[in-house]
């Protein structure tokens, strides 16, 4: 029987500094195995000697599956230890886990990506996926809020001259500007007024801190979005990733197995508050 | 194959006979209480009322090593630490409610994802189920439909009928065990005594409350004021989690040497009542409130399990009530919710 607790050995191929506390790691499996995954799924990463943690995949499975990327903020022992590693270091990876974004359901529609902070990581996967199949989708817009200009993750991709550029309209905002910032200031929900968004044929895909999800969902409902047009990716303590250890439960659901992606119609039926 | 009987005086010999082929685990006395442990013939105590820990610990141990790692010259070597038993195990004396508890764990550990550690131990254990001698003052298997007898989940089912035990097989393995020379054919009189024993237990287990529909009632009463006093009374020690035959929450920990070059990953029991159960990196705690944790266990047993698996995951063994230092009685909660 396959043992889903034992990670595959993997190699850090590249490391990119995104901000002072976020790095993007490009990772390949040791045995050259490719990883079949969907945008929105996550991996359990092991830094040997420090422990394991769940992290979303920030790359797109299209066009290449011989590596994956994950963008990680320094938070605790294991993520700090990962940040200290160099290219070529060996780590462990289990997965992918979770349901991922409903990419087939999104086809033929406009998509509004709403990202807060490091919550932009799983959305980056979906954005590159939609851009690789650009003709399948209507308008694509990204509303992205960060605490400060220096905290914007994937800066060289999403800033006006960035490489994502064509095919996606990017609206950035920061909670607190610095002297160089000429853009919008305010929480991400304040951006929605400037972007000519209408709910018709549109799905909003939201990921970020729990409190940001709460306000973004409330704002979008006010704008006339229906609950099944709002798709959220939730964060919980996902220890095993397989719906066994119990830590990520919300009511009868396990975020790791039944989620992490839910529509607000689904989360509305949970007995416990999802965000 | 016919049902058999074994005279009580031959029980120790049966255990020694079984030990030739199996590692035998059963109830034995330890100081003032009873536990499941590896036993010899002279140690078995089939008159036990209940044990502190259910036999789930045999399949889902308190701490289970998963794998080890060793870092050397930039390389990492992993080694699977899954046990390989030299002999199959045989669990004798497990009560019907605890067998039903294992059915719940089978669903938790053998669903979409398979836990190979649990399943290996489960699949390599022969089960001899024992109908209880007496219900304890905390038992309510009649309410949860998990006793006093069961129809499946055992290789042999045994009943104490006075000076002898009555055995009925539930599998080929059970039938083979009954071929041992000291088993005798059961008579009609033995069968009558066996049925009378079950009937006697049914009469003693006459709980005045029902479980039917409790999941729906709980849905309606999620934000009820009923929960406040329980959240205040509960000391959140996790005892009910650990003694429960169906609580399956665990954490995954690393045990490492000081330099971190060697270590092993361990799956260890955890409890949803513990403060940091749902704490995430960055300090946000999704279950910071006491009520949230106290309710989770009750809802998981009597509401969420119905949504997840179509069954209640409380088996009415009474351990959570018996070992609760705050004297919280799950029967009282069920009764209150049912009364509305």
């Amino acid at each position: 029987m396959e043992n889903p607790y034992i990670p595959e050995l993997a190699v850090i191929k590249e490391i990119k500094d995104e901000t002072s506390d976020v790095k993007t790691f490009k990772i390949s499996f040791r045995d050259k195995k490719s990883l079949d995954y969907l945008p929105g799924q996550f991996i359990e990463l092991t830094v040997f000697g420090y422990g394991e943690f769940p992290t979303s995949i920030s790359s797109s499975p299209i066009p290449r599956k011989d590596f994956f990327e994950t963008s990680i903020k320094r938070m605790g022992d294991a993520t700090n230890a990962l940040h200290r590693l160099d290219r070529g270091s060996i780590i462990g990876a289990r997965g992918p886990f979770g349901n991922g974004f409903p990419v087939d359901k999104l086809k033929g529609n406009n998509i509004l990506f709403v990202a807060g902070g490091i919550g932009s990581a799983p959305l980056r996967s979906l954005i590159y996926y939609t851009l690789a199949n650009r003709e399948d989708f209507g308008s694509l817009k990204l509303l992205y809020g960060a605490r400060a200009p220096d905290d914007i993750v994937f800066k060289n991709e999403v800033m006006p001259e960035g490489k994502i550029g064509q095919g996606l309209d990017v609206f950035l905002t920061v909670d607190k500007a610095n002297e160089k910032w000429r853009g919008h200031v305010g929480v991400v929900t304040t951006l929605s007024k400037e972007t000519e968004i209408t709910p018709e044929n549109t799905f909003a895909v939201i990921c970020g801190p729990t409190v940001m999800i709460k306000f973004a969902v409330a704002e979008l409902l006010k704008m006339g979005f229906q609950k099944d047009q709002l798709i959220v990716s939730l964060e919980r303590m996902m220890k095993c990733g397989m719906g066994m250890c119990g830590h990520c439960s919300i009511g009868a659901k396990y975020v790791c197995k039944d989620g992490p992606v839910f529509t607000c119609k689904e989360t509305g039926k949970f007995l416990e508050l999802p965000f | 194959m016919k049902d058999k009987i074994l005279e009580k005086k031959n029980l120790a010999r049966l255990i020694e006979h079984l030990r030739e082929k199996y590692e035998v685990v059963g109830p034995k006395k330890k100081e003032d209480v009873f536990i499941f442990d590896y036993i010899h013939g002279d140690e078995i105590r089939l008159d036990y009322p209940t044990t502190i820990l259910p036999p789930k610990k045999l399949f889902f141990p308190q701490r289970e090593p998963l794998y080890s790692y060793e870092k050397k010259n930039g390389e990492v070597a992993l080694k699977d630490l899954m046990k390989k038993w030299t002999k199959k195990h045989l669990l004798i004396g497990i009560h019907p409610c605890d067998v039903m508890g294992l059915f719940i764990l089978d669903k938790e550990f053998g669903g979409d994802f398979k836990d190979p550690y649990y399943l290996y131990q489960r699949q390599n254990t022969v089960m001899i189920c024992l109908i209880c001698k007496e219900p304890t003052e905390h038992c309510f298997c009649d309410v949860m439909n998990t006793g006093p007898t069961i129809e499946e989940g055992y290789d042999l089912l045994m009943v104490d009928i006075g000076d002898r035990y009555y055995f009925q097989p539930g599998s080929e393995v059970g039938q083979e065990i009954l071929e041992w020379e000291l088993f005798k054919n059961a008579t009609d009189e033995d069968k009558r005594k066996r049925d009378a024993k079950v009937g006697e237990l049914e009469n003693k287990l006459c709980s005045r409350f029902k479980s039917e529909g409790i999941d729906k009632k709980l849905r309606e009463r999620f934000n009820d004021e009923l929960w406040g006093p329980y959240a205040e009374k509960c000391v959140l020690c996790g005892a009910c989690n650990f003694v429960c035959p169906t609580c399956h929450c665990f954490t995954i920990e690393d045990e490492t040497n000081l330099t971190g070059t060697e270590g092993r990953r361990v799956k260890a029991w955890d409890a949803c009542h513990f403060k940091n159960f749902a704490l995430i990196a960055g300090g946000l705690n999704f279950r910071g409130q006491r009520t949230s944790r106290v309710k989770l266990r009750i809802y998981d047993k009597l509401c969420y399990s119905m949504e997840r698996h179509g069954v209640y995951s409380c088996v009415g063994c009474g351990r959570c009530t018996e070992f609760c230092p705050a004297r919280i009685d799950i029967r009282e909660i069920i009764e209150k919710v049912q009364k509305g």
Side-chain angles (χ1 to χ4, degrees):
Chain A
M1 189 188 296
E2 209 176 295
N3 191 329
Y5 287 103
I6 301 185
E8 302 263 359
L9 295 181
V11 185
I12 299 176
K13 293 291 190 184
E14 281 173 31
I15 304 171
K16 186 168 161 257
D17 288 310
E18 300 283 0
T19 68
S20 62
D21 58 2
V22 176
K23 289 183 181 184
T24 294
F25 297 83
K26 184 173 172 178
I27 296 163
S28 286
F29 285 110
R30 197 65 195 286
D31 61 4
K32 309 272 189 288
K33 199 186 78 170
S34 65
L35 181 72
D36 275 317
Y37 65 95
L38 277 174
Q41 287 193 295
F42 68 95
I43 290 282
E44 295 277 355
L45 268 198
T46 289
V47 183
F48 293 105
Y50 293 90
E52 191 177 51
F53 57 89
T55 178
S56 55
I57 302 171
S58 54
S59 55
S60 164
I62 297 174
R64 289 181 61 188
K65 294 183 181 181
D66 55 340
F67 68 87
F68 67 92
E69 287 174 324
T70 178
S71 306
I72 292 163
K73 187 169 175 173
R74 283 194 284 121
M75 297 296 260
D77 285 351
T79 49
N80 268 294
L82 182 70
H83 272 240
R84 289 196 295 271
L85 293 181
D86 297 318
R87 213 156 57 118
S89 297
I90 294 176
I91 57 172
R94 296 192 292 131
F97 296 114
N99 56 357
F101 294 113
V103 287
D104 289 331
K105 199 169 98 178
L106 295 175
K107 277 183 189 157
N109 292 281
N110 307 317
I111 305 177
L112 174 70
F113 304 96
V114 186
I118 190 68
S120 52
L123 291 179
R124 179 179 181 256
S125 175
L126 182 61
I127 288 169
Y128 278 117
Y129 183 92
T130 52
L131 290 175
N133 301 284
R134 188 64 190 85
E135 65 284 3
D136 289 345
F137 301 93
S139 76
L140 300 177
K141 289 178 180 159
L142 167 65
L143 313 189
Y144 179 13
R147 278 176 311 190
D150 289 342
D151 291 322
I152 296 174
V153 189
F154 316 122
K155 210 171 284 166
N156 64 342
E157 297 166 69
V158 296
M159 293 295 264
E161 67 281 11
K163 67 174 187 181
I164 284 188
Q166 296 203 339
L168 175 78
D169 297 325
V170 181
F171 301 86
L172 296 177
T173 184
V174 295
D175 297 347
K176 202 166 178 253
N178 61 14
E179 63 281 2
K180 278 184 270 171
W181 182 255
R182 298 284 168 267
H184 192 278
V185 179
V187 295
V188 72
T189 49
T190 61
L191 272 178
S192 55
K193 295 183 182 68
E194 308 199 348
T195 50
E196 298 168 17
I197 300 157
T198 51
E200 284 73 45
N201 304 319
T202 301
F203 281 100
V205 188
I206 307 152
C207 187
T210 298
V211 62
M212 169 256 165
I213 295 180
K214 186 173 157 183
F215 284 107
V217 165
E219 177 74 18
L220 290 162
L221 288 173
K222 228 191 297 172
M223 290 168 64
F225 278 84
Q226 299 300 304
K227 282 183 173 176
D228 54 2
Q229 288 174 281
L230 304 181
I231 296 165
V232 295
S233 176
L234 301 180
E235 184 181 20
R236 284 298 183 278
M237 183 65 254
M238 299 178 283
K239 283 260 178 192
C240 73
M242 305 182 282
M244 295 179 192
C245 77
H247 287 80
C248 67
S249 70
I250 309 178
K253 300 291 181 193
Y254 290 129
V255 171
C256 70
K257 187 163 77 78
D258 304 312
V261 177
F262 298 98
T263 66
C264 285
K265 195 176 171 186
E266 292 169 318
T267 61
K269 290 179 189 152
F270 297 172
L271 272 188
E272 296 183 302
L273 284 182
F275 42 77
Chain B
M1 171 123 185
K2 280 192 62 147
D3 295 350
K4 300 272 184 175
I5 60 101
L6 183 79
E7 288 184 45
K8 277 190 175 170
K9 63 175 188 198
N10 290 326
L11 179 65
R13 285 181 66 189
L14 171 67
I15 301 300
E16 292 309 320
H17 166 69
L18 292 170
R19 276 168 49 83
E20 288 166 19
K21 193 169 171 189
Y22 303 102
E23 294 285 358
V24 178
V25 175
K28 74 176 192 187
K29 198 152 198 268
K30 189 184 179 189
E31 293 164 16
D32 294 338
V33 294
F34 292 89
I35 61 165
F36 278 99
D37 202 354
Y38 292 98
I39 49 163
H40 285 269
D42 58 340
E43 292 176 300
I44 188 161
R45 285 291 298 272
L46 291 181
D47 57 339
Y48 80 107
T50 187
T51 53
I52 301 177
L53 294 182
K56 78 172 176 185
K57 67 178 185 179
L58 183 62
F59 312 103
F60 171 38
Q62 285 98 322
R63 292 187 75 78
E64 176 136 65
L66 299 175
Y67 67 91
S68 65
Y69 74 89
E70 191 181 359
K71 292 197 275 190
K72 220 178 198 172
N73 308 323
E75 288 295 315
V76 176
L78 303 183
K79 194 176 152 220
D80 192 343
L81 295 178
M82 195 165 110
K83 303 180 188 83
K84 287 282 175 256
W85 285 342
T86 48
K87 274 181 181 176
K88 279 197 171 196
H89 279 49
L90 181 144
L91 178 56
I92 184 168
I94 177 173
H95 286 161
C97 61
D98 283 339
V99 172
M100 297 304 280
L102 290 173
F103 279 146
I104 303 289
L105 293 187
D106 291 347
K107 292 181 197 293
E108 300 292 350
F109 292 128
D112 298 340
F113 287 91
K114 314 278 181 222
D115 184 319
Y117 303 85
Y118 173 85
L119 292 174
Y120 174 82
Q121 292 162 106
R122 182 85 166 99
Q123 286 158 2
N124 285 288
T125 301
V126 172
M127 307 276 285
I128 303 184
C129 176
L130 169 75
I131 302 278
C132 299
K133 192 170 192 307
E134 287 288 324
T136 73
E137 59 173 305
H138 304 104
C139 289
F140 58 105
C141 59
D142 58 323
V143 175
M144 303 315 299
N145 301 315
T146 53
T149 186
I150 46 171
E151 303 300 324
E152 55 177 347
Y154 53 82
D155 294 288
L156 286 171
L157 180 66
M158 62 190 289
V159 187
D160 182 339
I161 53 166
D163 61 347
R164 56 190 61 189
Y165 293 105
Y166 187 95
F167 283 82
Q168 56 193 98
S171 73
E172 277 179 30
V173 174
Q175 287 187 4
E176 279 165 28
I177 291 171
L178 291 186
E179 280 163 22
W180 187 51
E181 57 196 12
L182 291 186
F183 284 108
K184 302 284 180 251
N185 285 335
T187 62
D188 291 346
E189 176 62 15
D190 293 326
K191 174 92 170 68
R192 262 196 302 282
K193 282 188 185 163
R194 181 248 177 237
D195 294 343
K197 176 70 192 176
V198 173
E200 176 199 318
L201 286 169
E202 278 165 356
N203 288 333
K204 285 182 181 168
L205 281 157
C206 253
S207 302
R208 58 189 178 157
F209 59 104
K210 295 275 173 279
S211 64
E212 282 76 24
I214 182 95
D215 53 317
K216 291 183 190 73
K217 288 259 175 65
L218 281 167
R219 279 192 174 277
E220 289 159 18
R221 302 192 69 177
F222 190 75
N223 294 312
D224 201 286
E225 58 192 22
L226 156 82
W227 303 110
Y230 288 111
E232 273 178 37
K233 204 172 167 191
C234 174
V235 295
L236 297 162
C237 65
C240 57
N241 295 115
F242 295 145
V243 302
C244 178
T246 70
C247 271
H248 58 90
C249 287
F250 61 85
T251 185
I252 294 174
E253 295 172 354
D254 280 11
E255 297 172 348
T256 64
N257 64 357
L258 280 177
T259 53
T261 52
E262 267 180 65
R264 60 179 196 170
R265 183 155 291 169
V266 176
K267 183 174 119 187
W269 285 7
D270 203 351
C272 63
H273 278 188
F274 290 169
K275 192 175 175 185
N276 292 344
F277 184 73
L279 180 72
I280 59 166
L284 183 58
N285 191 345
F286 290 101
R287 296 196 186 279
Q289 289 190 338
R290 300 169 68 89
T291 327
S292 154
R293 307 202 294 281
V294 169
K295 264 157 56 175
L296 175 58
R297 182 166 183 279
I298 301 294
Y299 273 75
D300 209 81
K301 302 292 153 200
L302 298 167
C303 180
Y304 302 153
S305 57
M306 192 52 99
E307 186 176 330
R308 243 177 240 148
H309 304 303
V311 287
Y312 296 121
S313 64
C314 169
V315 295
C317 74
R319 287 185 181 93
C320 58
T321 301
E322 182 168 353
F323 299 108
C324 177
R327 302 204 180 280
I328 291 173
D329 190 331
I330 192 168
R331 295 169 298 181
E332 179 194 291
I333 296 175
I334 297 174
E335 223 177 331
K336 271 191 192 168
V337 172
Q338 289 288 39
K339 275 186 187 157

